[in-house]
Amino acid sequence: MSNKICPSCKTEFKFKSYLIRHINRNVHCSSKINDIDKLISEINELSIKKCKFSCSKCNSNFTQKSSLKTHLENSKCSKTEIEIPNEINNTTEINNTTNNNNTINNIINNSNNNSNNTIINNNITNNNTIIQHINPFGFEDVRTIPISEMKTILTSGTEAGLEIIKTIYNKIENKNFYKPNISKPEIACLNKDFNLTIYKSREFCDALFDRCITFLHHMLYLCKNEYTRNNIKYIYDNIEHIETTMRTEIYDKKLKNIIETEFINNNINNKDRIKKFIKEIKDNVDTKNNSLLQINNTTTLKEDKNNEYKISITNIELNTIFGDPKIILGLRKEEIILNLRISRFEESIFYNFWIDRIKNIKTYVMKNKKATIGDIANLKKEENKIMSMLELINKRVENNRGDDYLNLDVDDEFRLDDVVQENEDVLEDNLDFRDLHTFNNLVSG
């Protein structure tokens, strides 16, 4: 019997796995087979007999020599049990479990500077058995990627999302998911409690896409000193564009294929590694503590990134420098309403006040040494809010040209105070910093 032909309907399949899936799913064929499990076992035995090449380390079988070579180059078998401890010893002398804890701790603390020895240093040695450390899904650390490679990914435009996914999940310590049944849509992921979380295929793809966005933001934080403020703004805007407009496009075009290829090529090995790692976590307290330490380290990176993404330049500071729009425009409210009635909106005092304010705030933030990524990212959000407000006021002007009343208030943020001007100094105080020369002296100082 061929290991690729259904004994019932005689259909020939390209792969053994397709035949097994066919037998499991096709009621007509399966009903004619007395012992399905026995048949599947025979199919597997035939596949093994056809394999001429075998890995001496894990006993995996291959039909072609090139497949065995690829396996030896890319799998855990690429490093012998002798080579791995020796390479570890070149970094830190390991004599017992306590020293092993210190080694992993040192690697974590220095991960920003050196990320090329991840696979070696993340191995857990227990009674001469090598257990591959695995980062739980959602706790993969981008600091294993060299800064130069991070910069290449960040500046790759809309391809950045796919590039970071391939870069992260090509690393053996991040192969943290597998399909329990290759013919079903469920995907099992290692979670932070060192158990399995089951996702449906589309749910998993959404979670993976969200991880990709998180990776990009973490890398931007780590590379912030490598870029100018303008470049940071461009990269941040590109990440936002990927997140808000490209989720479906990335999934349909490439992400789905990347995931399916991973299952075809590595599902059995990933499943085996994850199960061994979970067992090691349960059996070995030191292994669990080391893994929790790495989770904590990744969590710290997330917290540091979140702090950098906070807004440090507040509206209070901006109003102190450029004046409070509620007061400035409130003092000239009647003049502004009249001007809106007789002028093109784009030439009005009201419109040009806000356009000038956007430009001045941008210049101030981009030149401000204490500005965070959050401040730079907030520029676009504030500009969008102002432009939306101006669009609404423009519609009101068009719809109320014959009326005496024109409402210039939009929510509380863009409300004009009814200010009674007691003297000219009030207006001068609020307009003083709108002078660009004064502003430039402030920034340079």
Side-chain angles (χ1 to χ4, degrees), residues 96-106 286-287 290 293:
N96 49 43
T97 306
T98 304
N99 288 338
N100 192 26
N101 292 347
N102 294 333
T103 301
I104 296 179
N105 192 12
N106 290 335
D286 292 331
T287 300
N290 289 333
L293 184 62

Side-chain angles (χ1 to χ4, degrees), residues 175-213:
K175 292 185 180 293
N176 48 26
F177 58 87
Y178 67 92
K179 272 194 170 184
N181 187 325
I182 201 69
S183 63
K184 294 184 178 180
E186 287 80 14
I187 297 171
C189 296
L190 180 69
N191 60 36
K192 67 177 181 178
D193 298 320
F194 306 111
N195 292 312
L196 296 176
T197 298
I198 306 299
Y199 291 88
K200 294 292 186 182
S201 292
R202 191 53 198 251
E203 292 174 344
F204 173 74
C205 287
D206 283 338
L208 192 62
F209 182 86
D210 292 338
R211 288 301 299 154
C212 130
I213 300 301

Side-chain angles (χ1 to χ4, degrees), residues 1-13 19-20 22-23 28-30 32-36 39-40 42-43:
M1 180 188 74
S2 169
N3 69 324
K4 297 179 183 177
I5 298 177
C6 175
S8 177
C9 67
K10 307 304 180 183
T11 303
E12 184 172 2
F13 296 88
L19 170 59
I20 294 173
H22 164 77
I23 292 171
H28 177 74
C29 291
S30 61
K32 296 181 180 181
I33 300 172
N34 294 328
D35 192 338
I36 294 177
L39 175 63
I40 292 175
E42 290 176 357
I43 292 171

